């Protein structure tokens, strides 16, 4: 699904590089969580994969044309924000030039939010909003779903629901998932692999290999 070879990057285009000769292979149907300290370039790696940034060297090959992206939940909608769920998703349809009539209902149903179609975004909880953003990412029928810290700022119950949705998309719909994570428990419970980023490198482990590293029985 995703092949990264000898990837090098810095925001200046020169040394020191924050990503240095990174090699990573993500297989189709996998669920990989990316872990690392703050400043380890996790989000930068996602932006390179999404072609929002250009590498200084190396290659990124993605074997699909359909990618869904859920960025960090930094959007803050107050109760006066005058847009409904349906209106927001219709705008996204236009951006993607989608024509499928039932795509909004289909995407909302996939995250259990079809009954909120006419709700104002600003009236929703953080967890509800995040489900809507996942629905938005699903509108193009992606084969690869990329998420940046999907549970940040969300209550524990909503976190459980969101990870259940993501895992369902991975297992039952066969969507490959790549997620930057700060939630170690979710990473261990949901993922098929763990990518550790440190000092400009990225190393991929199976769950069992990673448990041995951190001495989790």
């Amino acid at each position: 699904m995703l092949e990264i070879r000898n990837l090098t990057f810095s925001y200046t285009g020169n040394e020191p590089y924050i990503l240095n000769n990174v090699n990573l292979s993500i297989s189709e149907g996998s669920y990989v969580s990316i872990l690392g300290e703050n400043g380890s370039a996790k989000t930068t790696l996602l932006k390179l994969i999404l072609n929002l940034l250009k590498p200084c060297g190396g290659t990124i090959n993605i074997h699909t044309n359909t990618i869904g992206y859920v960025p960090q939940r930094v959007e803050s909608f107050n109760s006066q924000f005058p847009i409904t769920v349906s209106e927001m998703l219709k705008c996204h349809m236009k951006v993607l030039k989608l024509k499928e009539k039932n795509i909004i209902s289909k995407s909302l149903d996939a995250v259990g939010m079809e009954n909120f179609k006419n709700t104002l975004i600003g009236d929703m909880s953080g967890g509800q909003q995040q489900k809507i953003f996942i629905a938005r990412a699903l509108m193009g029928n992606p084969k690869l779903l990329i998420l940046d810290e999907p549970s940040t700022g969300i209550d524990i119950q909503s976190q459980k629901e969101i990870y259940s949705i993501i895992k369902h998309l991975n297992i039952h719909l066969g969507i490959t998932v790549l997620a930057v994570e700060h939630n170690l428990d979710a990473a261990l419970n949901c993922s098929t692999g763990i990518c550790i980023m440190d000092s400009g490198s990225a190393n991929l482990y199976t769950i069992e290999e990673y448990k041995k590293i951190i001495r989790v029985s």
Side-chain angles (χ1 to χ4, degrees), residues 50-117:
L50 291 163
N51 202 31
L52 300 175
L53 295 171
K54 299 295 184 183
C56 297
T59 59
I60 301 173
N61 292 312
I62 304 173
H63 304 296
T64 179
N65 293 322
T66 55
I67 301 173
Y69 176 46
V70 182
Q72 288 187 29
R73 203 181 65 86
V74 296
E75 294 154 288
S76 179
F77 299 105
N78 61 40
S79 59
Q80 302 301 313
F81 196 80
I83 188 169
T84 65
V85 169
S86 180
E87 289 168 342
M88 185 184 76
L89 297 184
K90 284 178 181 177
C91 290
H92 196 61
M93 276 186 71
K94 291 179 181 179
V95 170
L96 297 182
K97 299 180 180 179
L98 301 174
K99 302 296 184 182
E100 186 180 338
K101 290 183 178 180
N102 296 324
I103 195 166
I104 290 177
S105 293
K106 180 180 175 182
S107 298
L108 289 174
D109 185 59
V111 299
M113 295 295 286
E114 189 169 0
N115 291 336
F116 291 81
K117 188 181 300 184

Side-chain angles (χ1 to χ4, degrees), residues 10 17 31-32 40 79 97-98 112 115 117 121 146-147 153 181 183 187 190 193 203-204 206 209 216:
S10 73
Y17 297 114
Y31 182 151
V32 174
S40 60
S79 59
K97 299 180 180 179
L98 301 174
N115 291 336
K117 188 181 300 184
I121 294 288
I146 295 177
L147 308 101
E181 272 298 350
N183 189 325
C190 297
N203 295 293
L204 185 61
T206 67
E209 288 171 338
V216 174

Side-chain angles (χ1 to χ4, degrees), residues 1-3 25-32 63-64 143-144 170 173-177 192:
M1 175 61 72
L2 172 66
E3 296 285 342
S25 180
I26 307 295
S27 60
E28 184 175 355
S30 61
Y31 182 151
V32 174
H63 304 296
T64 179
K143 299 298 183 183
L144 173 63
N170 173 243
L173 298 186
I175 298 175
T176 304
V177 175
T192 59

Side-chain angles (χ1 to χ4, degrees), residues 32 192-196 202-210 213:
V32 174
T192 59
I194 301 289
C195 176
I196 303 298
N203 295 293
L204 185 61
Y205 303 93
T206 67
I207 295 297
E208 292 306 316
E209 288 171 338
Y210 183 66
I213 292 172

Side-chain angles (χ1 to χ4, degrees), residues 164-180:
S164 177
I165 289 168
I166 298 170
K167 194 169 183 179
H168 176 85
L169 296 173
N170 173 243
I171 293 174
H172 296 285
L173 298 186
I175 298 175
T176 304
V177 175
L178 183 63
V180 166

Side-chain angles (χ1 to χ4, degrees), residues 183-202:
N183 189 325
L184 180 57
D185 287 340
L188 291 174
N189 290 330
C190 297
S191 309
T192 59
I194 301 289
C195 176
I196 303 298
M197 296 191 65
D198 181 51
S199 302
S201 67

